[in-house]
């Protein structure tokens, strides 16, 4: 079930995000703070909330649309903050990655909107 996968991926992402935050704090170098925040919020929190919805409304999580939405969000939630980190470290030449990642996340969120509107009345 996509909801369980999303919840499992989210806790791994949150652990990585927390460890990255600790590393930044130890080094007193917060250059990657925007990437850290996007990783935790988009890759951790949102992913977990989507998974909870799919567990709460099982019919929503069994659709092909939910599977597409889940995999899209997982991909975008990794690409977007990684792309932000690349831009912060390498400069504007790496802007394609966070742009693509953010568009993937927006597409996944749009699919989730459709799923919620279709299933919240069930």
């Amino acid at each position: 079930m996509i909801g369980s996968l999303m919840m499992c991926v989210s806790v791994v992402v949150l652990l990585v995000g927390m460890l990255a935050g600790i590393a930044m704090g130890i080094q007193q170098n917060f250059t990657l703070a925007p990437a850290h925040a996007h990783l935790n919020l988009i890759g951790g929190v949102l992913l977990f909330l989507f998974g909870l919805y799919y567990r709460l409304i099982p019919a929503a999580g069994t659709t092909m649309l939910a599977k597409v939405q889940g995999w899209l969000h997982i991909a975008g939630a990794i690409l977007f903050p990684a792309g932000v980190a690349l831009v912060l470290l390498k400069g504007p030449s790496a802007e394609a990655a966070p742009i693509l990642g953010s568009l993937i996340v927006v597409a996944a969120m749009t699919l989730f909107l459709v799923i919620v509107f279709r299933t919240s009345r069930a």
Side-chain angles (χ1 to χ4, degrees):
M1 176 182 220
I2 194 67
S4 297
L5 174 68
M6 293 173 97
M7 292 169 74
C8 290
V9 171
S10 79
V11 295
V12 171
V13 168
L14 280 170
L15 180 60
V16 169
M18 287 176 167
L19 293 173
I22 290 169
M24 286 189 295
I26 290 169
Q27 297 173 0
Q28 291 295 297
N29 180 351
F30 301 98
T31 303
L32 295 177
H36 161 74
H38 284 90
L39 181 67
N40 284 343
L41 290 174
I42 295 171
V45 175
L46 270 181
L47 206 50
F48 197 82
L49 289 173
F50 295 153
L52 279 178
Y53 184 82
Y54 291 142
R55 297 293 301 270
L56 183 66
I57 314 286
T62 59
T63 66
M64 180 56 76
L65 194 59
K67 291 180 179 97
V68 170
Q69 185 270 332
W71 283 107
L72 265 180
H73 191 86
I74 289 169
I78 293 168
L79 180 59
F80 181 38
V84 169
L86 276 174
V87 169
L88 292 169
L89 295 173
K90 303 289 184 190
S93 63
E95 285 180 343
I99 290 170
L100 179 60
S102 66
L103 292 174
I104 291 170
V105 167
V106 168
M109 188 65 222
T110 303
L111 291 178
F112 189 67
L113 177 142
V114 170
I115 292 164
V116 168
F117 275 79
R118 284 184 179 175
T119 59
S120 66
R121 294 174 246 155

